Amino acid sequence: MQAARLYEYDPEMNVELKIEDVRPPTITAADEVIVKVGAAGLCRTDLHIIEGVWKDIMDTEGSLLPYVMGHENAGWVEDVGSNVTSVKPGDAVICHPFNACGICLECRYGHDMYCDHGKFPGLGLDGGFAEYFKTNERSVIKLNTGITPLSVAPMADAGITAYRAAKKAAKLLNPGGYVLLLGIGGLGHIALQVLKHTCGARVIAVDREPAAQVLAKELGADIILDGGPNLIDEVKELTGGGVHVAIDFVGEHGTENTCWKLLRQGGELIMVGYGGTVEVPTLELVANEIKIGGSLVGDFVELVELMEMNADGLVKMHQTEYSLANINQAISDFKARRFTGRGVIVP
């Protein structure tokens, strides 16, 4: 099969994935599922993998490369292990990005992302930037009638991550409150849609890119700001003291130390993007009772919930499609922000 493989890490990203013929995956365990990839989303984490940010976590022995990235996958079941009963060859599916075991205590609680024995196709083992990839039965969700793998693949990570963060935010918000989204890209535009359908708060969208601002307006953002040097003062004035919740989908290049300053007393910052270092005086935490926490992907049930919203037409992915042969162009365009929303690789 054709696959795009990473051969070396480079902090400057002056490397390209190599398109080559490799052996397709085969069933080696009773719960495994082989998926014919219909589409695979391109994630900022993929850029960080190329940069080597994840090397000490997923490649501790330095023996992983070359390997196939791609953790936002949807397609059709090609083959199944002997114990698989919930799907069969030909079924259209989206794949939760994390292969949880289902039997550890965290899995029993429903916390898939905390699984003691989980595996992450695309991070540490071969993923979906190929014609086929392997996952397990516990990770696959049948698509609703009329929904195609191409239209939803990035929902597997970008979508579910945004949904989880937005769901957390919605529980903290009341009608008339303010929630700020920093970064209206592949994740931010999903969170915006989810929030507009799950709470009555006013949504402030912040992005420097004109195309992202246009998309935010189309999706119903109440206030759109360009994130300039006066952002903190603008937000404080517009909201009468700051937002109740902020979600940072960038998490680096200074945003991580801007967002907490946008909160009003008792406000909460949800970090989704990563790469930077948050520095907050302890007095700020105490005197203003602000809270800062992270949000990691999402559990299986949250992806099920998101797919129901998608099937009902409430949440749609804005995306740009590239063939597998043009994956390096997709990566280049992503780095340069030449598209809005998500880039999607189609084998």
Side-chain angles (χ1 to χ4, degrees):
M1 69 172 184
Q2 287 274 291
R5 297 211 289 176
L6 175 69
Y7 271 80
E8 62 179 304
Y9 306 111
D10 181 2
E12 303 302 321
M13 291 193 64
N14 292 320
V15 295
E16 291 193 343
L17 305 186
K18 293 185 179 180
I19 310 298
E20 52 193 5
D21 289 318
V22 300
R23 288 184 177 181
T26 57
I27 297 293
T28 57
D31 68 335
E32 291 178 342
V33 176
I34 305 294
V35 174
K36 181 179 181 181
V37 179
L42 179 62
C43 178
R44 184 163 295 278
T45 291
D46 294 315
L47 305 190
H48 287 316
I49 290 171
I50 297 171
E51 292 170 334
V53 172
W54 284 82
K55 181 178 183 296
D56 292 339
I57 298 174
M58 70 178 201
D59 191 11
T60 55
E61 298 180 0
S63 58
L64 174 63
L65 305 185
Y67 99 109
V68 181
M69 299 190 300
H71 57 273
E72 299 182 345
N73 304 306
W76 300 271
V77 174
E78 179 73 11
D79 196 8
V80 299
S82 58
N83 288 347
V84 175
T85 60
S86 63
V87 293
K88 64 183 184 304
D91 286 343
V93 296
I94 187 169
C95 307
H96 188 281
F98 196 58
N99 292 173
C101 72
I103 59 174
C104 71
L105 185 59
E106 294 294 352
C107 281
R108 300 290 191 185
Y109 280 129
H111 303 318
D112 302 272
M113 294 308 301
Y114 302 161
C115 176
D116 293 335
H117 313 290
K119 298 178 181 179
F120 213 132
L123 280 82
L125 65 158
D126 285 343
F129 291 159
E131 294 180 281
Y132 299 90
F133 94 107
K134 182 162 64 176
T135 184
N136 67 357
E137 182 181 19
R138 198 169 189 275
S139 298
V140 295
I141 299 170
K142 285 185 182 180
L143 296 183
N144 286 288
T145 302
I147 304 299
T148 66
L150 177 59
S151 68
V152 297
M155 294 288 191
D157 180 40
I160 188 177
T161 301
Y163 177 78
R164 182 183 181 94
K167 188 176 178 181
K168 288 181 178 181
K171 293 177 180 178
L172 302 170
L173 293 161
N174 296 311
Y178 289 94
V179 55
L180 182 143
L181 308 180
L182 197 148
I184 310 300
L187 281 74
H189 85 286
I190 297 297
L192 198 165
Q193 295 173 74
V194 172
L195 285 164
K196 295 300 290 187
H197 290 291
T198 57
C199 75
R202 303 180 181 101
V203 180
I204 302 174
V206 181
D207 201 297
R208 293 182 179 179
E209 294 296 324
Q213 294 170 18
V214 170
L215 179 59
K217 183 177 181 180
E218 292 173 354
L219 297 177
D222 297 284
I223 300 171
I224 301 168
L225 302 174
D226 65 5
N230 298 320
L231 178 63
I232 296 172
D233 291 337
E234 284 183 285
V235 170
K236 295 280 187 179
E237 182 176 350
L238 286 167
T239 61
V243 299
H244 298 85
V245 181
I247 308 177
D248 185 353
F249 289 106
V250 180
E252 57 183 340
H253 308 308
T255 67
E256 70 277 18
N257 287 308
T258 296
C259 277
W260 65 262
K261 297 174 184 176
L262 304 173
L263 300 173
R264 68 174 59 221
Q265 193 170 36
E268 184 162 335
L269 169 60
I270 301 172
M271 295 296 303
V272 178
Y274 62 91
T277 301
V278 178
E279 298 177 348
V280 186
T282 52
L283 180 59
E284 288 284 343
L285 296 172
V286 175
N288 288 318
E289 285 198 325
I290 61 172
K291 301 178 183 69
I292 301 174
S295 190
L296 177 64
V297 192
D299 295 322
F300 179 89
V301 171
E302 289 170 321
L303 183 54
V304 173
E305 293 170 352
L306 176 62
M307 295 312 299
E308 290 302 317
M309 292 188 76
N310 171 260
D312 289 341
L314 302 178
V315 178
K316 296 293 185 182
M317 180 65 66
H318 186 88
Q319 61 191 39
T320 301
E321 297 157 17
Y322 296 82
S323 68
L324 182 63
N326 288 325
I327 190 170
N328 289 305
Q329 183 62 55
I331 292 171
S332 176
D333 288 350
F334 191 10
K335 286 169 55 182
R337 295 203 69 178
R338 296 191 189 101
F339 57 77
T340 303
R342 209 54 157 181
V344 178
I345 308 304
V346 184

